Amino acid sequence: MGNRSFDLRNVRRYLDLPLKIATIGHRPKNNWIHHNNKIERYYLSFVFKMEKPFLVTRSNGVLQRTEDIPHMSIAHPGVLMDTVEHSCRNELFFSYPAEAKNAIEFFNLHNCYFKLTPAFNDTLHKIENCLDHLQYPGVADRLDYLAIELANE
């Protein structure tokens, strides 16, 4: 399956959940390289595998090295990003508007490593299934919920 991205900003929500996904994407071969890129919204990313043993980025001038271990990262609006050492990665991401700061903090979303447990994989499967049914009512709400569930597994 190739890279897929979906814009949910104009999709009707039926529930008033505190954290609504703006965009969602699954990129089995994400080759994105940051070049003096100012982040404009929150990005919650789950990296399952990288091509190289590590990835190096510069965030607001500070070097950060990420190992090839399944990990979750969150990029904050206003951060200036540069890729120093690139690695193609299998990644699922969710973006949220900059105004979601309070909800991001409420759910205590932060960078961490994770294990591909049966519960994690089950939630991931539900998310992938939803991506094939975005045209149905309530699916965007379900994704809003599942993204937080995945982050808390």
Side-chain angles (χ1 to χ4, degrees):
M1 182 180 307
N3 292 343
R4 308 188 300 165
S5 296
F6 303 94
D7 189 335
L8 304 183
R9 288 176 288 189
N10 294 318
V11 175
R12 181 176 176 195
R13 301 304 209 283
Y14 296 89
L15 302 174
D16 190 23
L17 298 173
L19 201 51
K20 294 173 179 62
I21 298 167
T23 59
I24 182 174
H26 181 215
R27 296 183 176 160
K29 295 196 179 292
N30 187 359
N31 278 308
W32 183 263
I33 297 175
H34 294 281
H35 293 290
N36 204 29
N37 185 22
K38 186 172 184 179
I39 304 299
E40 296 182 356
R41 54 179 98 151
Y42 288 95
Y43 284 89
L44 179 62
S45 301
F46 296 86
V47 176
F48 306 106
K49 183 77 180 140
M50 296 192 309
E51 187 176 75
K52 295 181 183 174
F54 60 87
L55 167 76
V56 179
T57 56
R58 184 177 295 113
S59 299
N60 287 338
V62 178
L63 285 178
Q64 298 177 331
R65 179 180 162 130
T66 306
E67 304 295 325
D68 180 23
I69 299 171
H71 63 276
M72 179 179 85
S73 64
I74 185 154
H76 296 264
V79 170
L80 191 61
M81 296 283 296
D82 285 292
T83 302
V84 177
E85 184 75 32
H86 173 68
S87 181
C88 182
R89 56 211 170 274
N90 179 352
E91 178 178 40
L92 173 69
F93 74 87
F94 305 90
S95 78
Y96 300 95
E99 302 79 43
K101 180 181 182 190
N102 290 340
I104 295 285
E105 289 174 354
F106 175 80
F107 287 109
N108 194 28
L109 300 177
H110 58 278
N111 297 347
C112 65
Y113 293 104
F114 62 85
K115 294 188 187 236
L116 298 170
T117 65
F120 185 95
N121 288 331
D122 183 53
T123 303
L124 183 60
H125 178 71
K126 289 175 186 175
I127 290 169
E128 290 171 347
N129 188 47
C130 284
L131 295 179
D132 294 328
H133 298 95
L134 284 172
Q135 71 276 19
Y136 295 111
V139 173
D141 296 298
R142 183 165 169 80
L143 282 167
D144 293 337
Y145 172 80
L146 289 169
I148 297 307
E149 182 178 312
L150 194 67
N152 285 290
E153 270 306 322

